[in-house]
Amino acid sequence: MSVDAARLERRIAELAAIGGSGTAVSRLGLSAEEQRARDLVAGWLAARGARVRRDPAANLYARFGDDHTPCVLVGSHLDSVPEGGRFDGALGVLCAVEAVEALLDDGARFRRPVEVVGWADEEGARFGIGLYGSSAAFGRLPDRAGERRDRDGVTIADALRALGESGDPAGARRDPAEVAAYLELHIEQGPRLAERGAALGVVSEIVGILHARVTVHGRQDHAGATVMTAREDALAAAAEMVVAVEAAALGRPDAVGTVGEIAVRPGAKNVIPGECTFSLDLRARTDEVLEALARDVRASIRRIGDARAVRSSIDVLSHVAAAPLDEGLRDLFQRAAASVGVEAAVLFSGAGHDAESCQLAGVRSGMLFVRSTGGSHTPREHATVEDAVLGAQALAFALRELAATPSA
Ligand code: GLV
Ligand code: MN
Ligand code: MN
């Protein structure tokens, strides 16, 4: 089964150009750019005979086969973080398209429906809800998700209406029983495959992730007239809390903790900060470790706040449990990798993926990693076309086994 390497390379560039500048891509969830990406992918698949639709949460589905039989769902997400790279999410959708096209070119017929999916807003970079599209599809959105606002005050409901939808993402809900299996190819986003010299990896499990917003309330005052012993400086307290997050994660196996956003009010150099808000991203390979990490972080925030006489509150934005992926699909991907001459490494994923929402909703899910370099969520992220082709071929192998009748 041959994947068209030149076409895949061309499409990587074409998709990256949407919201792109150099190797940087900014294609936020539910934006006009994300919609252009859906249109581009939809066009390729419609040309091959797929029935294409967008659901009320703005997920793209392109279906081959009937509407009644449970399908094999294959794809990834079409949004990016601000100033992200060309491959995170995008490569999974592109390789799904290539895998389907390779099967069709090979004369295979689908004995069970195959649906290519381009999930909306997986990153949660705009509205704060990671895995938004797949969560909407499988009834896992947080309460009142439609009311979540971006930095400009635009709600998810507003953004959906601007796309022509009704504004209620819960309308995207589908029955997990409609999906026989979910397959997702993704770049690894870390160095482990490169270190092991393996082009492909099979994902054993995806970490649990807790996202929260911490608000520290101090007392706004004059930076010159207030003596150092009489301050309630919200930012100084937050700074100590940020370091405590790092320390709590450092002490635990397979756990990470990140504060990636911080905002200070009123934000002037001669004003003691009255309020400081920062994000929390806590992850761990098991739910037990994540719980212990979250407990430590809460206790540190409380202790530091008490010692500095500032009040603080923690709003949990989302909490996704750790997800061991389906063992049968792991084996299938291992064989798929072997079919293209790769002994795949088995890895857990520290990044969140839509496969997590699917697996947690009861859809058997599997993930294939493609070696990448340069990190991720940065314009430096990179995967070679050669590795991407191996990934697409392995994905086609898995799809054929799950859904296609070999050509005569
Ligand atoms: C998604 O990329 C995440 O893991 O934050
Ligand atoms: Mn991703
Ligand atoms: Mn990402």
Side-chain angles (χ1 to χ4, degrees), residues 77 81 88-89 122-123 186 189 351-352 376-377:
H77 60 98
V81 295
D88 178 358
E122 183 270 353
E123 299 287 3
H186 202 283
Q189 306 179 276
S376 188
H377 288 181

Side-chain angles (χ1 to χ4, degrees), residues 69-95:
T69 316
C71 65
V72 175
L73 193 59
V74 57
S76 189
H77 60 98
L78 285 169
D79 65 310
S80 80
V81 295
E83 295 174 41
R86 291 166 293 165
F87 300 93
D88 178 358
L91 193 69
V93 177
L94 292 167
C95 286

Side-chain angles (χ1 to χ4, degrees), residues 16-17 19-26 83-87 377-382:
S21 163
T23 60
V25 175
S26 295
E83 295 174 41
R86 291 166 293 165
F87 300 93
H377 288 181
T378 155
R380 293 191 315 276
E381 89 186 3
H382 186 69

